[in-house]
Amino acid sequence: MLSPGADEQQEQQRGENAVVLKAVEEGEHHQEEPRHSTEPVIRIPRRRSSRRHRRTTLQFTLWQVEEMEKMFKETQYPHVLARKELAQALNIPEVKVKTWFVHRRAEERKSERSVGLQSIPPRTENLFILRDRDSYP
């Protein structure tokens, strides 16, 4: 059984809902204030369009790659100002230069790993040398 105050609250909520529905039907657009009710709120996620927008990839020219390679030989981690100057000289966005250096460092690490694995005799690359814990300081 509902208390006398609960009936009044339900009537008030119904009245608010009617006002909101009427305003929507008339085409008024306003932001509705959040209501406090005990009913669970069901949120329906927005549907994404079936067409995905793909980013266009920036193709570097041979000259641009050569210039970035020159700087990479000098330093693998160029300073922000050096990256900005290089980007202006190459006429490309600074973030693209930054990303190129990230990928180039990853490529360098990968090639170093493969060289290291080539020096290990076959069938021994999966073996691990185990030491006692007592031998470590």
Side-chain angles (χ1 to χ4, degrees):
M1 177 156 212
L2 296 174
S3 65
D7 288 335
E8 292 173 9
Q9 286 178 345
Q10 285 181 348
E11 283 298 319
Q12 186 179 8
Q13 283 182 350
R14 284 189 199 125
E16 287 175 1
N17 288 341
V19 170
V20 170
L21 288 174
K22 184 178 178 185
V24 169
E25 288 172 359
E26 292 174 359
E28 293 180 21
H29 298 287
H30 68 283
Q31 192 168 5
E32 167 181 347
E33 291 182 18
R35 281 178 280 212
H36 302 287
S37 70
T38 57
E39 296 179 23
V41 176
I42 300 172
R43 301 205 186 275
I44 301 171
R46 288 185 179 177
R47 254 186 129 170
R48 293 186 178 198
S49 67
S50 60
R51 285 185 149 181
R52 291 193 177 242
H53 297 284
R54 301 199 86 204
R55 291 184 186 175
T56 57
T57 56
L58 178 65
Q59 295 290 323
F60 297 113
T61 64
L62 181 60
W63 171 73
Q64 290 171 332
V65 172
E66 287 173 351
E67 292 297 314
M68 288 188 285
E69 283 288 346
K70 283 180 192 175
M71 184 173 277
F72 187 79
K73 286 179 183 174
E74 292 174 22
T75 176
Q76 291 187 6
Y77 294 89
H79 192 268
V80 176
L81 294 176
R83 279 197 319 256
K84 283 185 180 183
E85 288 174 2
L86 182 63
Q88 285 179 346
L90 300 178
N91 197 25
I92 55 177
E94 189 264 338
V95 72
K96 296 295 183 185
V97 173
K98 182 179 179 180
T99 305
W100 184 89
F101 273 89
V102 169
H103 292 155
R104 182 64 180 85
R105 287 191 297 267
E107 182 182 322
E108 187 76 12
R109 284 191 305 271
K110 187 177 179 182
S111 68
E112 287 173 1
R113 269 189 242 130
S114 67
V115 167
L117 287 177
Q118 288 173 356
S119 64
I120 298 173
R123 296 190 178 174
T124 58
E125 63 236 11
N126 294 330
L127 296 177
F128 294 98
I129 299 173
L130 300 175
R131 294 186 178 175
D132 293 331
R133 289 187 196 181
D134 297 334
S135 65
Y136 290 106

